Amino acid sequence: MKTAILKSDSASLRRAADLLLSGEVVAIPTETVYGLAALGLNPQAVKKVFTAKGRPPTDPLILHLTSPDLRQAIQAGILKENPPPAAFDLASVFWPGPLTLILPRGPQVPPEVTSGLDTVAVRYPAHPVSQQLLDLVGRPLAAPSANRFGRISPTDAQAVLQELEGKIPLILDGGECPTGVESTVLSLLPPEPTILRPGKITSEDIARVMGRPPGQRSENRAKNHPMPAPGMLESHYAPVTPLYLSQEPLSHRQSDLLFIHYRTPPGVLTSNQLVLSPDGNSATAAKNLYRVLRQADAAHGKAILIEPIPDSNLALALRDRIQRASTGTASWNGSIWKLRRGSKT
Ligand code: TXA
Ligand code: MG
């Protein structure tokens, strides 16, 4: 199959909508990362998403709703009647935006989307291209990140092509994703609201709306969520070149290694030095993270070293992705970088 990349204008949006309505998959920009979209209530279309990504059918997908109004999703049978009241508050504050809510599943959602769970993940994205497409299609779109399973999420059209060339008919090019890391996933199931995947919308943001902070995934993961989210898999978002978390600033260099600095270090940068956030802002670091990891990977060095991520409202999300992408830790022993495998907690 030939994969086309089309700049998102009204003609290409129509083409994408027609492909989707005929049961095909299309890669689309969202404010977080590119998604691989398909008609979310059509089991055959949904299966194509799993096939193109090489994703195991046990990992459920997010449904992108056609409206930020939760009541419409209930009327359409996507969500069960009477969801937890906090869902309405959260949706009205954070949608459109990068918050995914896990709620009891309505009767119209096929088990292929939810991997047989009686819950469903929903969000209404903030990107104008995804919104226009949802309007044109008029039905919810299932869309996981548009990468091969376990690999780095794509944040521009070329990165999607690198991941899925020949496997999908169309990539809608909406430029670079402004947020750069996937949505915060918040379960609203009993016994208590729990963040399953950290993102731009933080625990503090959610606490301001709910009146109390949500639990963190690690506290009650196995108990409440027998089917872990893929974002919870230890190895995820990973480059092919092994990535090591440095315990210290990367002030020493070695020619066979790639160095990812948080901020621009003093002096002239060499070709094996990359920077996440030239302006030191955490939003810039998030926006650049996956592109920089891809760039580092493309250099085919022996290993990639990344500097510690300083505290900020995005630090949890950044550290979570980097930890899952990593193979181990690195430290400078006075003459060379010592690489130790196995940093997973
Ligand atoms: O920002 C995003 O969320 C992007 C864009 C494209 O919207 N999508 C995305 O999808 O990251 P994906 O499939 O890569 O991640 C979805 C996450 C996974 O961790 C999945 O396990 C979790 O949501 N999830 C989906 N349904 C779930 C459910 N019913 N219960 C628990 N976790 C669920
Ligand atoms: Mg993903």
Side-chain angles (χ1 to χ4, degrees), residues 195-208:
I195 292 183
L196 301 182
R197 179 175 73 185
K200 181 181 172 186
I201 294 173
T202 62
S203 176
E204 292 74 26
D205 296 332
I206 291 165
R208 272 195 288 277

Side-chain angles (χ1 to χ4, degrees), residues 32 35 55 60 62 64 102 117 119 121 123 144-145 182-183 197 229-231:
T32 56
R55 177 163 172 142
I62 296 175
H64 296 68
I102 309 290
L117 296 175
T119 58
R123 82 179 190 102
S145 50
E182 300 83 351
S183 59
R197 179 175 73 185

Side-chain angles (χ1 to χ4, degrees), residues 5 37 42 54 58 80 89 94 102 121 135 165 188 270 301 324:
I5 301 188
N42 176 328
T58 46
K80 214 169 148 189
D89 303 332
F94 296 117
I102 309 290
D135 265 356
E165 184 164 18
L188 288 180
T270 53
R324 283 171 217 288

Side-chain angles (χ1 to χ4, degrees), residues 28-37 49 53 55 58-64 97-103 105 113-115 117-123 125 142-147 153 181-185 187 189 196-197 225 227-233 236-237 321:
I28 64 165
T30 81
E31 78 277 34
T32 56
V33 300
Y34 274 71
L36 183 60
V49 171
K53 278 184 60 99
R55 177 163 172 142
T58 46
D59 284 330
L61 306 182
I62 296 175
L63 277 187
H64 296 68
L99 177 67
T100 296
L101 298 176
I102 309 290
L103 291 165
R105 177 174 64 88
V113 170
T114 65
S115 306
L117 296 175
D118 56 7
T119 58
V120 61
V122 289
R123 82 179 190 102
S145 50
N147 49 281
S153 300
V181 291
E182 300 83 351
S183 59
T184 305
V185 177
S187 165
L189 306 179
L196 301 182
R197 179 175 73 185
H225 302 281
M227 180 88 62
M232 299 168 80
L233 294 181
H236 210 66
Y237 316 110
R321 304 312 189 276

Side-chain angles (χ1 to χ4, degrees), residues 144-227:
S145 50
N147 49 281
R148 277 169 294 149
F149 182 68
R151 296 286 172 206
I152 304 169
S153 300
T155 52
D156 60 39
Q158 279 305 320
V160 179
L161 190 69
Q162 207 186 338
E163 289 291 316
L164 298 174
E165 184 164 18
K167 296 190 156 81
I168 62 174
L170 177 62
I171 300 168
L172 211 47
D173 184 352
E176 211 183 334
C177 300
T179 301
V181 291
E182 300 83 351
S183 59
T184 305
V185 177
L186 176 69
S187 165
L188 288 180
L189 306 179
E192 61 160 351
T194 306
I195 292 183
L196 301 182
R197 179 175 73 185
K200 181 181 172 186
I201 294 173
T202 62
S203 176
E204 292 74 26
D205 296 332
I206 291 165
R208 272 195 288 277
V209 176
M210 292 201 312
R212 65 196 165 101
Q216 294 296 327
R217 170 186 66 207
S218 52
E219 291 163 20
N220 42 31
R221 95 190 241 184
K223 261 196 335 239
N224 299 335
H225 302 281
M227 180 88 62

